[in-house]
Structures are given as structure tokens and as C-alpha cells.
Amino acid sequence: MLSYIINRLFQGAIVVVLVSILTFLVMQAVPGSPVDLMIGKQKVSIEQRKAIEHKWGFDRPWYDQYFTWAGNLVTGNMGESVVRTGEPVSSMIKNAALMTLRLNVLSFFISIAIAIPIGMLAAIKRYSWFDYGSMLGATIGVTIPNYWIALMGIVLFSVKLGWLPPYGADSWKSYILPVFVLAFEEIAALARLTRGATMEVLGQDYVTTARAKGLKEKVVISRHVLRNALLPIITVIGYRIAFILSGTIVVETVFGWPGMGRLFFDSINRLDYQVVQAIVLVLSIVIVVVNILTDLTYALIDPRVRIR
Amino acid sequence: MSIDTTGAIRETGPTEKSTPAAGTLATQGVREARSNRNQVWRRFVRYKPGVFGLVFILLLIGCALAAPLIAPHDPFEIHMRLRGHAPSSEYLLGNDSIGRDILSRLIYGTRVALIVGIGATAIAVTIGVTVGAIAGYFGGWVDFVLSRLVDALMAFPLLALLLTLSAVFGPSLRNAVIVIGCSIWASYARIVRAEVLSLREFDYVLAARAAGASDRRIIARHIVPNALGPVIVLASLAIGGVIILESALSFLGLGVRPPTPSWGAMLADGREFLRRYPHIAIAPGIAIAVTVLAFNLVGDGLRDALDPRVTD
Amino acid sequence: MSSNDKKRMADVFGARANRRQMIRGAAGAGLAAPAFAAGLQAAGAAGTTRFATVDRAQGTPKKGGTFVCLGDQEVVGLSPEDADPTVVWAVVCQIHDSLYEQDENNELQPALAESYTISPDGKTWTFKLRKGVKFHNGDDFTSEDVKYTYDWIMDAKNGSTRIGNFDLVAKVDAPDPLTVVVTLKAPSPSMLFNVGGTYIYPAKYHAQVGEKGYKAKPVGTGPFKLKEWNAAERTTLTAFDDHFRGRPYVDEFRMDVVPEASGRAAALEAGKADTTIWPLGPEDNQSIKDGGKFAYWDWVQGAINHFPLNNEHPFLSDKEARKAMMYAIDRQSIVDDIFQGAAVVADSNMSPAFKWHTDDVTKYDYDPDKAKQTLDAAGWTGSGTRAKNGQKAAFECIVKTGDTVRRPEAEIVQQLFKDVGIDMQLREEPSPAMLDGMRTGKADAALFNWTYGTADPDATNELSSGGANNFSHFKNAKVDELLKQGLTEMDEKKRIAIYQQIQQIITEEVPFLYILILKATTFYAKRVKGVPEKMLNGDNFIQKVYQVWIEG
């Protein structure tokens, strides 16, 4: 077990380094320089421009810049943005991550609370109107692009009705639209999954046996079906958590939510290497670690799965 | 986004990854199915929403092929005076911000949606199956290196990867297909690798090897065809996701090259005019949703049809 | 008008034009001329300007309340060094002051300076500073702060992006606490724009925390001081009790970041903000005007919406072809229908907002037949896409990624070009890549807004051979010489003649396709009192939030 974890962590570390080198190379390949954004329309001659590039180290070869970056990282310094120079990248990411987490955690819990009962009920009442209705809804929910729902939400609730703010994060009201949009498809996906998992369990021999023993349906469901069906659901939730910081670029752009997604998108557009680099690093570490944790949890819950 | 690294609408990816059993079961389904294609078809037809999806996709393909015949107007024709005009009898879905006919652009937009959806998925399947088969068949350090590459890709937030790649290569239809295809193959590789790991111990593979067949021949003839079942299901579910991805890229300004009509780009244009001309954003949104829905229904149908656990 | 205002880059990144032109434009209108003509003597006396333009009918000032402004992008930093984007500037200008500032009617007003004199050779400028001015940290403002600021910018190792403004400065002296002497290498009529508009750092504090620390914790002499800075969300400033003009009436100034234009419009209509520093779409403007909750001011900007063309490209190098393209573009319809009248057709590289502008230039009215004839005559022939000696009349144009205003505009032009047999392909790229492509000549053409001379008419960087922002790779010996003369010509009339001659050459050579100049609409909520009746440059009024109060 321990050696498994160490092995996985080791592999994870390789993956993270690979990802960071990849990002660095990719960003180097983008034409243009962040210096363009710093200078803007200032009256700066070609020589003066070179001096500015030199000051920021953009005239050095990429591997040199990479090692500087990686070296700083080891000492806990994530570098500084070329654009938002007044704030260290680490605090920038911390603030943005908190904003994204607030949004995602909220929508995540709401969707779990709604989706799991719906999915199970649909499975238990298989082929009823409830089943068809909820699953049709769920399928549609998965297939509508979330930013379109977001736009339509803004048109309806902010523009036409004026009930909710169209942007920002200042009051509880500003959470309603983005949380709803994120939860909407989350619910759809989870409900579909829960239904599938529950149906599978319902067909298992031990459920049939339990029923044959004359147990009440309620007991069968709560004792046997529920617990076993939760297994795959928990796994999926784990994988979802891995992407909890990175999943909302488009929604954040639409709602002007100052989270990780928007920071990332803006940083790419301004070629803010240091920020892009740091965000990708953080995201990939989260994904790798959570994936390992999920696999471990899965193994702990399900005795049938053994770790190789 | 709603999409995991295959491009599949998200719940399929993790399930495939997390339940090692699923892949094998599905494979058995394929083997069974191969023995009786009629049965698969019969099963598929029984799932009515799947049939609806298939019919709709065929219609879309028809639209894409016959766009010049069906479209009431030239999708590129600009009427500056008709900026943002609401639907009328002449322009059934109204006009966009520079007065082009939205309906015609929607019809031409099926081309981009289908080319990207099918093209990118095809690229992903090709790369994924090749890498997965090689990794699974040879094992050892080859497997280690390829698997870490796959891990790295999967640890890269998908939309983030797409955004950076698009920024490097510049937006265009061809690049969109390539960039999306090259970003989403990792899950296919993982499934195929798992399949191949079990397949390579099968009798007929051992027999072929004993008979002196080359590795390449064994992989191409004996292993890959038998590992394709889950790939097909996953791919059909993923096409819808890829279409959403393309539209998200276009929405963020990194999709196809203007003025090529793309649903995502139309939506992005409409965003600016939500308050005054909401109809610009409504039509492409519905088109995307229904198309993705259709591909998903077909995917669901295929999964049921190929899954032996679903009994007649 | 500080050095930074001069160069808003914002329009490259956002949908619209920027401040710089305005600001400088402003200067064009009134300021420097009389002073220069006299060769000496000071501009207006200090301390009397505060309510000069206030409409008295607006009632008695009240204290309290928060003034909310909306911006379209992050407030990336709070140092004058960061103030290139208009949104950032709108915050930085609350915290800082410069020696001279340009007001909403394009008049130069003394701020930290009381007056200035120029030596007869035009090379020595002596500024008298205002007495009793305090920084937010309690330090006294003196000539040492001015000298420190100017010296810091001129020191190349600091990598300041404002260094180009000090090209002609030889040295800065502070003979006594209230006197600054700037010695120039050559006479410069643009001195007050380039140097006088520079926001002043507190020497002691800035030296202590460094530029990096300063960006997060600025200390200025301005009417508001920093309370909380959250770059991506909002920046809050509070009134500075010891401000030399007196404490502002409002307690707080807030900049909320709302990237979506429709989001800003909705927020204004919902009464969530008092103004927006970044313009809205024409339809949104109309609907807010109709709503009646806002006072508004329409004004012409200074940036030219244009297609720079790589003059070394095999097709674009043909002057006749470039002229034909001008004839092929229906600029009036673009202004009327797409911009809903919120723009004017450009007739040269200079906006009519400035006195340097002239009408006496070659004009290119929409005439597709003439475009075709011109192309035919120049040897570009054939059906479909024209060609000459195997070279196709084709090129690629870059539009900024996600630019929902200019991309449609480019699509229209693309169609119009197609009608006359020119093939223009479009490609979207982030702005650094777009600018880099044009600078290095890797790209053929692009569409963005830029200024080619404003209130300060100099455009050496843009129009001289090999200039850093000469996106079109335009080379013209006569223009090079004129630009050089214009830099040091102290006689206003002669200077105007120089820049008008440049416009005539530009319109004859057409190095780039100048399309239009945007009009902006500035909104202030009706609850905000103390606003002037007239604004020729609405953006600039944001500097004067200190003079407004909030009713109700």
C-alpha cells in the first residue's frame, strides 16, 4: 500500500514537471511579447524597448528562463506577473482560487443534494413518467452549452426582470446565476450517472436475495442498494473535484467572475507567462493528487478492488 | 466545461476510468455483437431517442452537403442597414449585427460543427488507439513513457490546453480540428491500453505470435479490432462534447476563421447584443444544444446496443 | 494630462478608442499656444479652478456617499507606471497629481505647479510649485520629489515605459524646495505634455519601497488614497483629508471591474454605478440616454480606426492598389449603420478633434467603380481575385481575438474588397501577437485603433522610417524630415503647417487605410452633482471626482 502511494506520487511528480515544461514551451511559441502590453502606446523607441525587455529577462533563452522560474519555485516564489506587477503571482492565484472555489463548492453541493435523490428515484421507479421526465431533463442539461444558459439567464433575470445582478461577486444575489448555471449541468450529469449505477445494483443477486428473504422494499433500498450504488458515484465525484479549480473558464468570463478561469484566460491573452505557468502548475498538481486520493478511496470502500 | 478529456460529456470518462470492469464487459459486448450485427441494429432501433438522434444527424449531414441549395440567402451577404433586425418573413431568424441572414449562417454552420466534431474525434481515436495499443502491447519502459505522457495530458485542464494551443497555432478550421483532436486522445489511449493488456494474453494472440506474425501485424489485425468496442461508444458520445468545445473556443475568439459561419462564433457575436437583439444568440444556442443532444442519444443507443448486460 | 494619459493603449485591447488622443487633443485646443507665443509667462494662477465650470443650479454640495465607476479590465497596478490602460489611469489619477493636468475641456490646468517660465531659447523651463501640499503619508511635497520622479524615469535601468517622454530632457534641477528647472537638449513645444503631465512619486517613500512595492501601496498627493485593491474585482479609495484642493465631498471612490460591455450597461441602468470609464456599444448608449437616469456628453475621440498595411507586401506595396482599397470601402455606411452614427469618417491620420487637422487633403469617397478602374489601370486584372504578373491581389488581416466590434467591421470590409476583386482573409490573434506581427512585418495587415498624432501632434514613432510603431513599414524621406522639424518648432503656426503637410502626404500615399474615428458618450448619473455642462473630453472629467457630490 505505502509503496503504491509512493510510486503514484513519484509518477505524479514526473507528470507535473512534464506539464510545466510543456506549458513553458508552448507559451514561448506564441508570437509577440508581454512587453507590448506594458508599453502600450507609450512613446518608446526600439532601443528603449530592448532595455525594458532586458530588465524583465525576456531576451534570455527559454531554458534559462525556465530554470530561473523553477529555481524560484523551489524557494516558494511563484514569480511575478509582467502585467499585474504589484502583486505576487501566488497571492493572485490564491485570491482567484478562493473565488472559484466558493462558486464551485456551492454548486457542487447543491447538485449532489438534488441529483442523487432524483437519479435513485428514477432508477427505482424505472420507466415511470418521473424516470422519463427527469432523464430527458438530464440529457438536455448535459447537452446545452453552459455559457448559453448563462447568457439567457442574464437576458431573462438581469435585463428583462432586473432581479439579479449580471456580473460581479458582491452580494449573495450575484451567486445565484453562476451557481445555478454550473449546478444545472452538474445535476444533469450526476443524475444520469446515479440512475445508471442504481439500476446496476438493483439487478444484482444480493438485492434479489434480500427481496426474496421478504425484506421490506424500503429496507432493501436503504441497506443494500443505496450503499452499493454510492460507490461509482463517489468515484465520479472525486474526479470532478480534481477539476474543481479549472472547470469554469467560460462561465467566469460571461459573469465577469474574478476566479481562476478568467485569470487564466486573461493571462494567456496578455502572454503573462509567469501567471499561466503558475496556474497550470497548481491545477495539474490538484488533479494529480486528487486522482490518487480518489483511487485510494475507491480501494478502501470497495474490497473487490485491489491495488496493484 | 461540461466536458472531460475525451471530449465526452463528462460522466462517461471517469466511469470508464474508474470501473476497470466496464471496459472488459463492453468488449465482450462487442465480440458478441460482431457475431451478430443485425442484433445490434435491432437493439439500437428499439431505443427510440437514439433513432431520433440518428435521423437528426442524417438531416444535419444533408444540410451540410446541400447548404447552398437549402439556405435562403448567401450567408456572407452583408446588409448593413439590417443590423440586428428581428425575424421577418424574408429573414426567418432575423439578421446579425452586420445584417447577414442568421438562418443561412446556421445552415452553413452545420459544416463546421460536423467537420470539427467528427474530424477531431477521428484524430483523437487514431492517436489514442495507436498509442494505447503500443503501450499495452509492448509494456515495459515504452508503456511507462507513454502512460506518463497520457497522464500529463489528462492532468492538463482541457480548455486551458486548447486555449494555449490555439494561441500558438492561430485560429482556423483546420487548426481547430487538429488542436482539439490532439488534446483529447488521452482517454482513448487509456481505454485501449487496458483492453490490450488483457487481450494480449488471449489464445489467438498467442497463437498468432507462435505462428511468427510480426508485432505490427498482431497489433493491427488481432488486437486493435477487438479493442474498438468501447472506443466506438465513447467516440459517439464524445462528438457532441467536441462540438461544444469548438463552440466554446469560437466563443472565446479562438475558433474558426471569420467569416466562416460557426455556431460558437455566432453566439459570441450575439453576446454583445444580448440586450438589444437577443435573437442573435438564441438561434445558434439552440442549434448547438439539439445537435449535441442528437449525438448523445445515438451514443446512448449504441452503448445499450453493444452492452450485453442489457438483455432482450 | 499626465505622461501616462498620453498613451492609453486601451483601444488595442478593448473595443474602442483610448484616452491619449483626447488628452493630447485637448492640449491642441487651448493650452500651450499663448504661453509659447509669448515665449515666457505663466499659465493660470493656482487654486482658483476648482468650481470654475460647475453649474451653480446644482445646489449646495453635500458630504458623504460612494462614487462608483465601472471599468472593463483589471486594475493591474496602482503606480503611474501601470496607468496606460484608461481604467487603470482612472484610478491612478485619483491618487496622484502632476504639475499640469488637462481638464475635460482640453484646457491645461496647473495642479502641483503654480506657474512656469521658458527661457528665450526654449530650452530651460522653470516651474514654481504649489506650497503646503502633502502626500498621503504626511510628507511634504517638494521639488525633490519632482526631480526624483523625473530622474527615476530617465534612468534606463529602471525600465520605465515612460522614458520616451523624456527624450529631449538633458537634466532636472531643484534649486529650492518650490522650484524645478528642466533643461532640454532642444526646444520642445510638447514639454508640458511629455514631462509636465508626469504623476509625481514621493521621493523618500518610493525609494524605500521600490517600484514593485509601490504598485500595491501607492502614496500620492491626490484627492483619494488607497483603501483596498483587488485587481480583478474592485478598487476602493477613500477621501484624503489633507488634499490641497480640500477634502473631496464623497467619502469613497470605487472602480468596479465588469469586462462585459452589456454587463456594464445593465449595471448602469440598474443604478449600480455612477459612470463607466470604458465606452459601451452604440445601442446600449442609446438605451441609457433614453432611460433618462443619466446626464451625458458626446465627444469625438482622437484614435484612428485603421487597417495598417505592410507596405513591403508584394500587393500592398502598390500605392494605386491601396488607393483603390480606400475607394472600395463604404465608410459612411459603416459609420451610419454599424456604429449607428457614433463615429465620423476619418479623412487623414489626424482626428478633427485637434487643431492640427486639415480638410485640405485627398479624399476617398465610396466609389467601387473607381476602385476597379484604379486597379485595372495599375495592372491588377482578371475575374475573381485580381492578379498582376502572377501575384494575386490577396493578403491576410489580423483582428484581435474576441473583438466583437472590429471583427464584424473587418468582415464588412472583406466583403467590399471581394466585390472589387481583392481577397482579404481574416485571422484572429491576441493583441501582443497582432502588434508583433505588424512590427516585424510577418503580418500583412491588421485592424485596430491607434493614434498618429494627437494634442501633441508628434508621430515620429508611428510615421518615421523604422519607427517603433511604424506598423505599415512606411518610408518617406519628406515625412521623416517634417517630423523632425515638428519636434522642435516653437512657432505654433509653422508647426500646424508642418503637420498639415504630413497629412497631405499621408492621404496621397495611403500607407494605411484610415476608416473612422469613434465618438464616445460619457455618462454621469443624475444623482451626481457638480458636473460641468460642457465636456469636450468626457474621460478626463474622472480626474475631478473631487469636485462632485452625491444628492439623495
Side-chain angles (χ1 to χ4, degrees), chain A:
Chain A
M1 184 76 177
L2 188 68
S3 72
Y4 169 80
I5 297 177
I6 291 174
N7 190 23
R8 283 291 303 267
L9 281 176
F10 172 66
Q11 289 177 6
I14 295 180
V15 166
V16 170
V17 172
L18 262 179
V19 167
S20 83
I21 294 181
L22 216 67
T23 321
F24 213 87
L25 282 176
V26 167
M27 287 307 286
Q28 291 287 325
V30 183
S33 152
V35 169
D36 284 320
L37 294 207
M38 300 174 73
I39 294 177
K41 286 190 170 168
Q42 307 276 14
K43 197 199 293 179
V44 169
S45 69
I46 291 169
E47 292 72 43
Q48 287 162 346
R49 186 192 155 88
K50 279 188 182 139
I52 295 172
E53 275 174 351
H54 179 74
K55 189 208 161 197
W56 288 90
F58 294 130
D59 52 350
R60 291 153 48 209
W62 74 269
Y63 49 85
D64 195 12
Q65 293 185 46
Y66 180 79
F67 285 125
T68 312
W69 176 79
N72 285 339
L73 197 67
V74 174
T75 62
N77 172 4
M78 280 181 143
E80 60 184 306
S81 157
V82 185
V83 184
R84 249 162 83 180
T85 37
E87 194 181 3
V89 174
S90 50
S91 95
M92 223 184 274
I93 289 187
K94 200 184 84 197
N95 292 340
L98 281 177
M99 290 308 293
T100 297
L101 274 184
R102 276 194 228 163
L103 204 61
N104 272 343
V105 170
L106 212 60
S107 66
F108 197 56
F109 280 115
I110 291 177
S111 40
I112 289 176
I114 297 179
I116 292 183
I118 289 184
M120 289 197 161
L121 212 59
I124 294 163
K125 303 194 170 185
R126 191 160 17 162
Y127 306 134
S128 68
W129 64 268
F130 180 82
D131 183 22
Y132 287 127
S134 57
M135 283 310 114
L136 183 68
T139 312
I140 293 174
V142 182
T143 53
I144 303 182
N146 52 10
Y147 53 90
W148 190 68
I149 303 181
L151 291 177
M152 292 302 125
I154 292 177
V155 168
L156 185 61
F157 294 103
S158 303
V159 178
K160 299 259 185 253
L161 298 172
W163 292 348
L164 300 171
Y167 75 91
D170 42 340
S171 77
W172 61 272
K173 277 188 179 171
S174 352
Y175 282 79
I176 296 182
L177 271 181
V179 166
F180 168 79
V181 170
L182 286 173
F184 186 65
E185 62 172 348
E186 194 81 49
I187 291 173
L190 266 181
R192 273 166 61 109
L193 179 91
T194 310
R195 177 177 177 272
T198 315
M199 290 221 323
E200 210 168 291
V201 177
L202 281 172
Q204 297 285 331
D205 293 342
Y206 57 83
V207 175
T208 321
T209 315
R211 280 191 182 133
K213 279 197 301 191
L215 286 180
K216 277 196 197 135
E217 189 66 12
K218 230 187 223 167
V219 180
V220 176
I221 301 284
S222 61
R223 287 261 177 86
H224 298 275
V225 177
L226 208 74
R227 186 178 301 172
N228 287 294
L230 277 181
L231 218 68
I233 299 172
I234 286 174
T235 321
V236 171
I237 290 176
Y239 283 108
R240 288 292 307 133
I241 290 176
F243 288 89
I244 203 156
L245 278 179
S246 55
T248 51
I249 294 180
V250 181
V251 172
E252 285 181 12
T253 310
V254 174
F255 287 108
W257 194 267
M260 289 283 264
R262 212 182 98 199
L263 181 63
F264 186 78
F265 184 56
D266 287 349
S267 301
I268 286 187
N269 267 337
R270 349 182 244 224
L271 298 187
D272 202 346
Y273 308 113
Q274 304 269 348
V275 182
V276 171
Q277 189 72 12
I279 293 180
V280 170
L281 183 82
V282 170
L283 294 183
S284 57
I285 289 178
V286 170
I287 292 171
V288 164
V289 170
V290 175
N291 277 353
I292 295 176
L293 289 179
T294 311
D295 287 353
L296 287 177
T297 321
Y298 195 73
L300 288 178
I301 298 176
D302 189 347
R304 286 171 302 181
V305 176
R306 246 178 306 134
I307 283 170
R308 282 161 292 171

Side-chain angles (χ1 to χ4, degrees), chain B residues 176-263:
Chain B
V177 171
I178 296 175
V179 162
I180 296 178
C182 291
S183 306
I184 62 174
W185 57 267
S187 303
Y188 297 97
R190 212 174 253 195
I191 300 174
V192 171
R193 174 180 169 276
E195 286 293 312
V196 172
L197 277 181
S198 61
L199 281 172
R200 69 174 180 179
E201 307 302 330
F202 271 62
D203 293 344
Y204 64 90
V205 175
L206 297 176
R209 196 176 293 153
S214 67
D215 285 339
R216 176 189 284 202
R217 189 182 164 82
I218 293 173
I219 294 177
R221 283 292 172 81
H222 299 287
I223 298 210
V224 167
N226 282 304
L228 277 183
V231 170
I232 290 171
V233 173
L234 188 57
S236 65
L237 286 169
I239 291 178
V242 170
I243 292 175
I244 292 189
L245 275 183
E246 190 281 322
S247 70
L249 276 185
S250 290
F251 185 75
L252 296 171
L254 292 164
V256 302
R257 195 182 267 251
T260 316
S262 141
W263 295 343

Side-chain angles (χ1 to χ4, degrees), chain B residues 69-94:
Chain B
L69 301 176
I70 306 169
H73 295 275
D74 177 350
F76 303 108
E77 196 181 312
I78 289 163
H79 304 278
M80 289 188 240
R81 290 187 177 279
L82 297 178
R83 170 175 166 103
H85 272 220
S88 62
S89 57
E90 174 71 11
Y91 300 98
L92 290 176
L93 294 177

